Amino acid sequence: MGGLDQAAVSNANDRGSHINISGVALTKHAPNKANAVALMEFLASEEAQKIYASANNEYPVNPTVLPSEIVQSWGKLKPDPLPLENIAKYRKKASELVDKVNFDAGPSS
């Protein structure tokens, strides 16, 4: 946790941690609906969630699958309850700020 400053740690203890989410959706006019549904079911399965948990150190969405050992060592996840739509409404401003400060160029020396 060397990259976290004290404010980030106290925020995680107080409000909770920011989490990223992954998702999948099936479009109304998908040409291979049966295959898409089969893939979605597999991705939510115990087998696939174990792969995600161990290979990516992600919290599994399937409640029957435990997180990887390293993720378990971090303790119980306390997600920030801020609704995603509240975060999304600032996406454009955040993107503009990233460009303004040239964030993607990395730290300056």
Side-chain angles (χ1 to χ4, degrees), residues 44-91:
S45 74
E46 192 170 311
E47 178 185 359
Q49 289 295 299
K50 284 180 181 177
I51 294 169
Y52 272 101
S54 65
N56 296 342
N57 289 315
E58 293 186 13
Y59 284 92
V61 70
N62 186 319
T64 65
V65 178
L66 293 175
S68 67
E69 286 185 27
I70 192 166
V71 172
Q72 289 182 52
S73 75
W74 299 337
K76 184 169 171 49
L77 173 66
K78 180 182 177 183
D80 185 335
L82 187 65
L84 193 55
E85 60 267 14
N86 287 8
I87 296 169
K89 71 182 176 184
Y90 295 107
R91 191 204 66 74

Side-chain angles (χ1 to χ4, degrees), residues 25-45:
L26 178 62
T27 62
K28 183 177 182 177
H29 299 288
N32 297 305
K33 183 176 179 179
N35 287 336
V37 169
L39 176 61
M40 294 165 81
E41 289 172 346
F42 171 73
L43 291 173
S45 74

